[in-house]
């Protein structure tokens, strides 16, 4: 049903009555839609086992080799209207009104109890009061979640007063994110990891975060658990090329492929010179790379690991000034700040130092800079660029089928765990269809050879 784009439990019930292929599969039984609705969320662990079995069979047939895998994420709408989201301010107002309603209803209830005599006075809350109480608890939970998220965003430098968090009410586990087609709405971020041999999905998951980079290393671990070995090469896009992810891949001895630029001078740059204490000739200043603000790029400054300091294009040393914590893509990193103390009389100061700078040009370096340089050196090789050309087709083809053929552009279930199960159903259906086709081709080839 999932592969044919029939996902609704009621439509599955109808298909089991009127579609010949479904009638054949269920042997003429009439399965109620409530049975389908319960079944799809009840057996998550057996479903994971089925996903693993299909993958193992494909691996035995040589359809999965784990030589190269492509990792990517997409955006799928949650079962929550884009207009059913509230901010902390709106939630507080609604809670205040509900408190007034609740107090009024309780006062009326106590007045009615006082008028009644004898032991037959009701001791339970009427359904209307219970409904208000439950709604108040839901709004209070949403308010707590909103305030916690606002505090996290405030620590990241976002002003919650100007840009407050919006929490979905129908499916609180989802998060308001940018839509692929434009605008914002409650969404989830499903991810898949695809093997390059025949395009089988070897791992899948769903996140309630905008960025899927933190799921990359977890995907490698799950692949090793499922198939008994790790992938050799891991291909992903520029959104997942953080130093933290590169470090995790190196620790797992997996070659990481993603667009990475080196922060050291490339071959042919005048900044790359034998004696770093000597200035770049004035005639070569125009060849020094500029960044988007028109200033000298970080790659014009050469780092010397033995001395733990940078050298600017004028040959001035930039020693370590301080270290400070910083958060990048949700990961805490320690930045080391290197400052030049000879900018006042430097002929390149106008093209190097920002007008807002008060103490000379600074260069920052984090603990992931060495692994970033190693990855950049790998990606600079022609063989690596040839391998990486396969990534778009490898990583994005499953999403095209899952969305266009299976129609998974919005989840039917609510809650992160149930949504993960729904996505696992889709990935299992995707792999099962590929396996059936592959086995049919193998049978045809065997028959042809036998004849």
């Amino acid at each position: 049903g999932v592969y044919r784009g029939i996902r609704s439990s009621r439509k599955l019930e109808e298909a089991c009555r009127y579609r010949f292929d479904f009638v054949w599969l269920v042997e003429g039984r009439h399965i109620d839609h409530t049975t389908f609705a319960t079944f799809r969320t009840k057996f998550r662990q057996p479903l994971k086992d089925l996903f693993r079995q299909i993958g193992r069979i494909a691996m035995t047939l040589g359809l999965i080799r784990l030589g190269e895998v492509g990792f990517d994420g997409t955006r799928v709408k949650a079962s929550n209207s884009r207009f059913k989201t509230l901010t902390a301010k709106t939630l507080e107002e609604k809670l205040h009104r509900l408190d007034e309603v609740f107090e009024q209803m309780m006062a009326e209830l106590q007045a009615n109890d006082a008028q009644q005599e004898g032991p037959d006075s009701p001791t339970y809350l009427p359904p209307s009061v219970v409904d208000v109480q439950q709604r108040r608890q839901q709004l209070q939970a949403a308010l707590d979640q909103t305030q916690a998220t606002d505090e996290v965003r405030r620590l990241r430098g976002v002003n919650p007063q100007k840009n407050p968090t919006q929490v979905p009410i129908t499916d609180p586990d989802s998060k308001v994110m940018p839509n692929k087609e434009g605008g914002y709405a409650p969404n989830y971020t499903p991810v898949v990891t695809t093997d390059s041999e025949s395009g089988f999905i070897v791992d899948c998951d769903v996140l309630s975060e905008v960025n899927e980079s933190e799921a990359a290393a977890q995907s490698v671990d799950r692949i090793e658990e499922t198939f008994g070995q790790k992938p050799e090469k891991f291909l992903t896009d520029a959104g997942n090329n953080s130093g933290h992810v590169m470090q995790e891949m190196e620790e797992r001895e997996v070659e990481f492929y993603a667009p990475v630029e080196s922060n050291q001078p490339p071959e042919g740059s005048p900044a790359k010179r034998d004696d770093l204490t000597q200035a770049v000739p004035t005639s070569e200043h125009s060849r020094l790379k500029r960044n988007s603000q028109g200033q000298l790029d970080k790659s014009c400054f050469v780092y010397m690991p033995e001395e733990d300091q940078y050298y600017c294009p004028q040959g001035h040393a930039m020693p370590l000034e301080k270290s400070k914590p910083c958060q990048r893509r949700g990961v805490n990193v320690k930045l080391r700040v290197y400052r030049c103390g000879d900018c006042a009389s430097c002929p390149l100061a106008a093209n190097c130092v920002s007008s807002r700078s008060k103490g000379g040009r600074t260069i920052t370096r984090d603990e992931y800079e060495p692994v970033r340089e190693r990855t950049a050196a790998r990606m600079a090789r022609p063989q690596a660029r040839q391998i990486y050309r396969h990534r778009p087709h490898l990583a994005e083809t499953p999403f095209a089928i899952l969305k266009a053929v299976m129609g998974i552009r919005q989840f039917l279930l609510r809650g992160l765990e149930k949504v993960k199960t729904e996505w696992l159903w889709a990935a299992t259906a995707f792999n099962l269809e590929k396996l059936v086709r592959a086995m049919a081709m193998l049978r045809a080839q065997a028959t042809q050879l036998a004849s």
Side-chain angles (χ1 to χ4, degrees):
V2 171
Y3 191 82
R4 298 300 179 189
I6 304 174
R7 301 163 55 216
S8 165
S9 57
R10 291 186 180 274
K11 289 185 178 180
L12 284 169
E13 177 187 3
E14 182 182 16
C16 289
R17 291 175 180 268
Y18 302 113
R19 285 189 54 152
F20 290 132
D21 49 350
F22 280 74
V23 171
W24 178 81
L25 280 170
V26 300
E27 299 178 343
R29 287 173 294 174
H30 293 168
I31 304 176
D32 188 74
H33 64 274
T34 56
T35 304
F36 280 119
T38 305
F39 184 86
R40 78 168 71 204
T41 58
K42 187 177 181 181
F43 300 101
R44 175 169 172 80
Q45 186 56 48
L47 179 61
K48 291 175 67 175
D49 294 339
L50 175 61
F51 179 84
R52 181 182 294 110
Q53 289 172 31
I54 294 173
R56 291 284 186 135
I57 293 171
M59 194 172 191
T60 303
L61 296 174
L63 302 173
I64 293 177
R65 297 186 182 277
L66 297 180
E68 299 171 11
V69 297
F71 174 83
D72 204 359
T74 187
R75 204 84 76 235
V76 175
K77 294 179 182 178
S79 181
N80 193 116
S81 170
R82 64 189 305 172
F83 304 107
K84 292 292 183 71
T85 59
L86 298 176
T87 62
K89 181 180 179 181
T90 308
L91 286 167
E92 289 174 353
E93 294 173 354
K94 286 184 175 291
L95 273 171
H96 180 68
R97 290 198 294 269
L98 270 180
D99 285 340
E100 293 177 349
V101 172
F102 185 75
E103 291 175 2
Q104 181 182 355
M105 295 178 73
M106 290 299 296
E108 293 175 356
L109 185 63
Q110 291 173 1
N112 292 335
D113 288 345
Q115 294 176 1
Q116 294 183 6
E117 297 179 358
D120 296 331
S121 193
T123 58
Y124 62 90
L125 293 176
S128 57
V129 179
V130 174
D131 181 66
V132 172
Q133 193 176 28
Q134 290 176 346
R135 179 166 172 78
R136 187 188 182 284
Q137 291 174 353
Q138 292 174 351
L139 289 177
Q140 184 62 52
L143 177 61
D144 295 341
Q145 180 183 352
T146 306
Q147 291 173 340
T149 307
D150 276 338
E151 179 61 22
V152 172
R153 297 172 76 241
R154 186 187 65 79
L155 294 175
R156 294 179 180 178
V158 180
N159 188 349
Q161 299 297 327
K162 296 182 179 179
N163 189 13
T165 300
Q166 292 185 338
V167 172
I169 300 302
T170 311
D171 186 359
D173 286 354
S174 62
K175 183 171 289 187
V176 176
M177 310 178 193
N179 286 326
K180 290 290 185 179
E181 61 272 15
Y184 291 80
N187 287 286
Y188 285 102
T189 303
V191 297
V192 297
T193 307
T194 313
D195 185 73
S196 64
E197 183 65 25
S198 299
F200 276 80
I201 295 176
V202 292
D203 182 65
C204 66
D205 197 10
V206 179
L207 312 174
S208 59
E209 302 291 338
V210 177
N211 194 330
E212 69 270 12
S213 61
E214 291 307 304
Q218 298 173 11
S219 178
V220 171
D221 294 339
R222 286 193 297 267
I223 291 172
E224 184 178 16
E225 179 184 353
T226 301
F227 297 97
Q229 69 180 71
K230 292 176 288 191
E232 297 176 8
K233 299 178 177 61
F234 191 91
L235 284 60
T236 187
D237 58 18
N240 302 313
N241 65 350
S242 68
H244 179 64
V245 176
M246 298 178 199
Q247 183 68 39
E248 289 182 321
M249 292 300 168
E250 273 204 358
E251 292 172 355
R252 288 162 175 77
E253 299 180 348
V254 176
E255 287 189 13
F256 183 79
Y257 291 79
V260 181
E261 290 189 5
S262 173
N263 288 323
Q264 289 297 288
E267 291 294 335
S269 171
K272 191 171 185 177
R273 53 202 190 277
D274 296 332
D275 188 357
L276 297 177
T277 61
Q278 298 298 315
V280 174
T282 306
S283 59
E284 299 288 336
H285 285 181
S286 60
R287 293 182 54 211
L288 292 172
K289 185 179 178 180
R290 263 65 171 176
N291 58 23
S292 57
Q293 286 78 35
Q295 300 170 346
L296 292 181
D297 189 70
K298 184 177 180 179
S299 62
C300 298
F301 299 79
V302 185
Y303 178 72
M304 290 296 292
E306 300 84 2
E307 305 173 14
D308 190 21
Q309 65 180 4
Y310 280 86
Y311 283 89
C312 77
Q314 282 298 104
H316 300 143
M318 301 176 64
L320 175 65
E321 181 185 63
K322 62 180 180 179
S323 296
K324 63 178 183 179
C326 179
Q327 194 171 68
R328 291 179 175 175
R329 300 181 183 178
V331 178
N332 294 322
V333 298
K334 181 183 288 187
L335 287 182
R336 298 165 62 85
V337 182
Y338 300 80
R339 186 182 296 274
C340 182
D342 300 293
C343 294
S345 58
C346 179
L348 283 171
N351 296 318
C352 182
V353 185
S354 171
S355 59
R356 298 187 298 271
S357 178
K358 298 180 180 179
R361 177 66 184 263
T362 59
I363 297 293
T364 59
R365 182 182 181 88
D366 60 32
E367 65 262 39
Y368 300 116
E369 199 67 33
V371 66
R372 194 176 290 114
E373 292 295 334
R374 290 192 291 271
T375 305
R378 181 190 306 121
M379 293 300 297
R381 298 198 295 263
Q383 183 181 3
R385 292 196 293 268
Q386 181 66 31
I387 292 172
Y388 192 72
R389 288 193 185 100
H390 303 157
R391 191 210 66 83
H393 175 77
L394 172 62
E396 296 171 12
T397 298
F399 293 129
I401 296 175
L402 290 166
K403 289 186 173 183
V405 177
M406 301 184 187
I408 304 179
R409 299 184 181 275
Q410 182 172 9
F411 288 113
L412 301 178
L413 303 180
R414 295 169 183 168
L416 182 58
E417 289 305 314
K418 290 185 178 181
V419 166
K420 286 185 176 185
T421 303
E422 187 175 355
W423 188 245
L424 183 59
W425 275 111
T428 305
F430 178 92
N431 281 355
L432 184 59
E433 177 71 14
K434 292 184 75 70
L435 182 62
V436 168
R437 290 178 182 272
M439 294 180 72
M441 292 178 61
L442 290 174
R443 288 196 187 101
Q445 293 172 3
T447 303
Q448 185 177 6
L449 289 173
S451 63

